[in-house]
Amino acid sequence: MQLDLEKIRGMINGIDDEIVELYKKRLALCDEVAAYKISTGKAVLDRSREDKIIERLTSKVEEKDRDAVAGLYKRIFEISRARQSAKVCGINDFYTGIREKAQKNAPFPKEAAVACQGVEGAYSSIACKTLFEEPAAIYFENFESVFKSVSAGLCEYGILPFENSIYGSVSEVYEMLSRFEGHVVRSVKLPIHHALLAKGGSSVSGIKEVYSHRQAIGQCSIFLSQNKNLKVIPCENTAVAAKMVAESERSDIAAICSPTCAEKYGLSVLKKDLQNSSVNYTMFYCISKEPEIFEGITKTAFMFNIKNESGSLEGVLSRFSMAGINLTKIESRPIPGKDFEFMFYAEADTDGINDKMLELFTQFENELDFFKFIGAYKEVCAE
């Protein structure tokens, strides 16, 4: 005779009660294991033991249930490891310092020496003036020089484009964040409007060559595809392109850049809003050498890499879920010189910064092949 739904649910509830009581005993034993590992210095992760447990338990069930049992125990192991790691690692001095800085709730500075890539009129300089009331901007040829100037203490802060809503991430900045000293202290979402600038008296039909940065070229790909007669030449910065056009004796070349460069370099605007979409934003990071925490934290960012094996990424991400932390972005980048190994960049929405997150970061520093705290910062939006 077939049982009705309520009776089946009642039986499931009874089994769940038994499972909870047994699981409480298992967790208590895990705490004893953690105490033993603290006293002996043994590593939290013992992959071979986990594999043997799964092999033993899956052998006790029918083949149709083996994946379910294996999946269940992988999750149990993740919870157990997280619990042990929390006891073994605690919060190290670095993250204690982060917490103390966050509690001070210091205001963001109004003036500073700031490194920007390009020349005056570049989008980086616009982002700089959006974040700081009175910046002393120093311009550098490339992104690496911005990082190096901050790492060397030449500039207090640096401004770098990180991601565009049309053309995606600026891959060089991702890679440099993992290599150089640098932490994000603020971000600004800047609306980007590209214009075609040339010398006075020029016309769109008379232009033969267009100069701009690769990101801007990608963001204006529709316009460029509709004007196939134009030869597109990438350069290191949009404002540098405008400066080159202004200093050239030719009247048949143009730059794709900010309209503000027209007045700065004495150029004419031949066409406005070249970007593929009217909704076009670039996220800029403000970096410092040491981690600095200012008021109004809304984002926390970090980077890590893991072993290239099944379940490694899931094991990391599930720990955030267990801690109640909402990840809003995760992106992988290939590691130069490595055979299909990837660095992961991630962001979390955070109202301030809490001990659960700091505990988790301390654990990952001990467990993962590489982990770097990028920053806890406020994300602002320029109008």
Side-chain angles (χ1 to χ4, degrees):
M1 186 178 73
Q2 187 175 6
L3 295 175
D4 65 35
L5 182 59
E6 289 306 312
K7 285 185 178 179
I8 295 171
R9 286 176 171 171
M11 293 169 68
I12 289 173
N13 289 343
I15 293 170
D16 286 342
D17 291 341
E18 293 179 43
I19 289 173
V20 167
E21 290 304 313
L22 290 171
Y23 193 52
K24 284 163 57 179
K25 293 179 182 179
R26 193 183 197 284
L27 289 174
L29 291 171
C30 283
D31 291 344
E32 292 187 29
V33 171
Y36 174 80
K37 289 179 177 178
I38 291 171
S39 65
T40 60
K42 288 194 68 174
V44 169
L45 176 61
D46 187 346
R47 185 72 72 190
S48 63
R49 171 164 165 73
E50 292 181 2
D51 291 342
K52 287 176 182 176
I53 292 172
I54 289 177
E55 184 179 353
R56 177 173 63 84
L57 295 176
T58 52
S59 69
K60 296 176 179 290
V61 298
E62 295 180 28
E63 186 172 352
K64 66 182 179 67
D65 296 326
R66 285 176 186 169
D67 287 346
V69 170
L72 170 64
Y73 272 85
K74 284 178 181 178
R75 183 70 168 178
I76 288 173
F77 294 152
E78 288 166 10
I79 296 169
S80 298
R81 271 188 261 116
R83 192 180 178 97
Q84 289 182 33
S85 289
K87 293 182 177 296
V88 171
C89 300
I91 302 178
N92 66 23
D93 291 343
F94 176 83
Y95 293 111
T96 298
I98 296 294
R99 177 174 56 192
E100 290 173 353
K101 289 178 180 178
Q103 289 171 343
K104 289 180 180 177
N105 208 33
F108 191 75
K110 295 182 179 180
E111 55 186 60
V114 186
C116 297
Q117 190 262 342
V119 295
E120 181 70 29
Y123 289 108
S124 290
S125 73
I126 298 172
C128 177
K129 291 172 183 177
T130 302
L131 289 174
F132 296 92
E133 290 183 17
E134 298 180 37
I138 302 174
Y139 293 95
F140 295 86
E141 185 177 347
N142 51 48
F143 297 145
E144 184 167 340
S145 296
V146 172
F147 270 101
K148 286 182 175 178
S149 71
V150 173
S151 295
L154 177 63
C155 293
E156 296 169 80
Y157 301 101
I159 302 292
L160 294 155
F162 191 66
E163 186 174 34
N164 177 261
S165 58
I166 293 177
Y167 202 59
S169 303
V170 183
S171 57
E172 306 101 294
V173 176
Y174 272 96
E175 191 267 329
M176 289 174 196
L177 273 172
S178 65
R179 284 198 298 121
F180 288 97
E181 289 187 79
H183 294 83
V184 177
V185 298
R186 209 66 148 196
S187 70
V188 57
K189 188 168 75 170
L190 191 71
I192 303 296
H193 297 280
H194 294 302
L196 188 69
L197 271 57
K199 292 198 168 201
S202 301
S203 63
V204 175
S205 60
I207 299 300
K208 295 180 180 178
E209 295 177 1
V210 174
Y211 294 81
S212 195
H213 187 268
R214 291 184 186 278
Q215 273 275 335
I217 292 168
Q219 294 164 32
C220 302
S221 59
I222 294 175
F223 167 77
L224 293 171
S225 68
Q226 292 171 346
N227 294 269
K228 298 185 184 298
N229 58 306
L230 296 176
K231 181 180 179 181
V232 181
I233 303 173
C235 63
E236 61 266 30
N237 185 271
T238 55
V240 168
K243 191 169 183 288
M244 288 169 55
V245 170
E247 293 174 351
S248 172
E249 295 181 359
R250 296 173 60 182
S251 59
D252 61 348
I253 62 173
I256 293 176
C257 55
S258 166
T260 59
C261 287
E263 183 177 350
K264 175 68 183 176
Y265 296 107
L267 298 172
S268 297
V269 178
L270 302 187
K271 190 173 178 62
K272 292 183 177 180
D273 287 324
L274 305 185
Q275 65 275 3
N276 294 351
S277 169
S278 59
V279 181
N280 185 30
Y281 290 90
T282 293
M283 186 69 72
F284 286 85
Y285 273 172
C286 178
I287 64 166
S288 63
K289 180 179 179 180
E290 301 295 335
E292 298 181 18
I293 310 294
F294 298 107
E295 62 185 354
I297 296 169
T298 58
K299 292 281 185 182
T300 300
F302 52 95
M303 300 183 83
F304 64 94
N305 67 338
I306 51 178
K307 295 187 184 302
N308 186 14
E309 57 187 33
S310 176
S312 292
L313 181 58
E314 180 189 6
V316 171
L317 300 184
S318 66
R319 299 271 283 277
F320 286 97
S321 176
M322 284 187 282
I325 297 168
N326 180 37
L327 294 182
T328 55
K329 175 186 176 75
I330 182 163
E331 184 165 340
S332 65
R333 312 296 304 178
I335 301 174
K338 299 285 188 178
D339 184 15
F340 288 101
E341 290 189 32
F342 295 87
M343 181 74 69
F344 292 90
Y345 171 90
E347 291 177 2
D349 274 342
T350 49
D351 181 11
I353 190 163
N354 58 51
D355 280 353
K356 282 188 176 181
M357 177 172 283
L358 298 180
E359 286 175 3
L360 202 51
F361 288 171
T362 302
Q363 294 164 29
F364 286 149
E365 280 193 341
N366 284 274
E367 296 173 25
L368 301 181
D369 293 345
F370 170 86
F371 181 87
K372 180 182 177 181
F373 170 77
I374 298 297
Y377 53 92
K378 182 178 181 179
E379 180 180 291
V380 299
C381 186
E383 296 298 330

